[in-house]
Amino acid sequence: NESTLYYLALCYAKADSLYLAYENLLEAADLSRNENPTILSQLGTVAVELGITSEGIGYIEKSIELMQPDEKLMYALTNTLAEGYFNWGKYDKSISYMKQSMKYPDSNVYVYYRIAQAYGMMKRLKDEQEYYQTFVDKAQKEPDPSPMMKECIEYAQYRILKITETLFFQGEQ
């Protein structure tokens, strides 16, 4: 089976029998229908070491492609981590994960609102104000905002005004 061939190939590679390692990895890759990223990465590495560079690069690129996580899943996971850290009161970690979640296509304008809330919980007024402003700017471009979004826009505008006043009286703006 492919696992046996893979481990046999690793033994050959350790013993500097790269050609035997290559043959076993090639067979293991065929058995896995070139869908096992671990086998493909080793096959690519051995191929490059043997001077079969073009083929090796192809296997490594396919391996990397297979290892990439699904973007919808990554958005959901980073968003859930952000929510968990927010609920736990670890706002800096929450912000970090919210910012990561913004890289994925399923991200939405509410992320800016949540980041602003987290900064508010940390009493970082300038950052809170910046993210509320970004939220308002982006949310007002939405073609058909929901009643919830309208409420969030109103609250964000209220917070921006209050933060501006606070910073003014603190002599910071």
Side-chain angles (χ1 to χ4, degrees):
N1 75 18
E2 66 193 59
S3 293
T4 303
L5 291 167
Y6 172 75
Y7 288 111
L8 182 59
L10 291 181
C11 291
Y12 281 131
K14 280 269 193 211
D16 285 332
S17 298
L18 292 180
Y19 187 73
L20 290 172
Y22 173 78
E23 285 183 336
N24 282 278
L25 287 167
L26 196 57
E27 192 175 341
D30 286 342
L31 286 174
S32 74
R33 292 182 297 281
N34 287 336
E35 294 296 321
N36 184 318
T38 305
I39 292 172
L40 292 175
S41 68
Q42 287 299 314
L43 177 56
T45 301
V46 169
V48 168
E49 288 179 19
L50 284 172
I52 313 170
T53 307
S54 177
E55 186 178 313
I57 288 172
Y59 287 125
I60 292 171
E61 286 176 341
K62 173 72 173 175
S63 173
I64 290 170
E65 178 185 316
L66 291 171
M67 285 190 224
Q68 295 304 309
D70 175 77
E71 287 188 337
K72 287 182 184 288
L73 175 61
M74 287 306 296
Y75 171 74
L77 292 174
T78 55
N79 205 37
T80 302
L81 283 169
E83 193 65 29
Y85 278 114
F86 187 94
N87 293 342
W88 202 6
K90 303 220 180 268
Y91 304 113
D92 53 341
K93 290 282 259 185
S94 176
I95 290 166
S96 174
Y97 281 110
M98 282 188 262
K99 287 180 178 181
Q100 282 183 44
S101 80
M102 292 165 61
K103 297 186 298 189
Y104 302 106
D106 286 354
S107 183
N108 61 56
V109 297
Y110 287 110
V111 174
Y112 295 97
Y113 188 85
R114 294 293 287 161
I115 291 172
Q117 288 180 316
Y119 278 129
M121 298 301 287
M122 295 168 62
K123 308 287 189 232
R124 289 178 50 182
L125 296 180
K126 288 182 180 180
D127 293 321
E128 178 185 5
Q129 183 181 41
E130 175 187 340
Y131 276 89
Y132 273 134
Q133 188 61 60
T134 302
F135 167 75
V136 168
D137 294 344
K138 290 182 178 294
Q140 287 179 332
K141 293 177 184 169
E142 292 286 316
D144 189 26
S146 68
M148 170 72 130
M149 184 173 287
K150 289 178 183 175
E151 280 182 42
C152 289
I153 290 170
E154 284 181 32
Y155 180 76
Q157 289 171 326
Y158 166 79
R159 284 297 300 148
I160 291 166
L161 180 63
K162 287 297 180 190
I163 292 167
T164 301
E165 290 173 2
T166 300
L167 291 174
F168 175 79
F169 287 115
Q170 291 177 351
E172 293 185 37
Q173 211 172 27

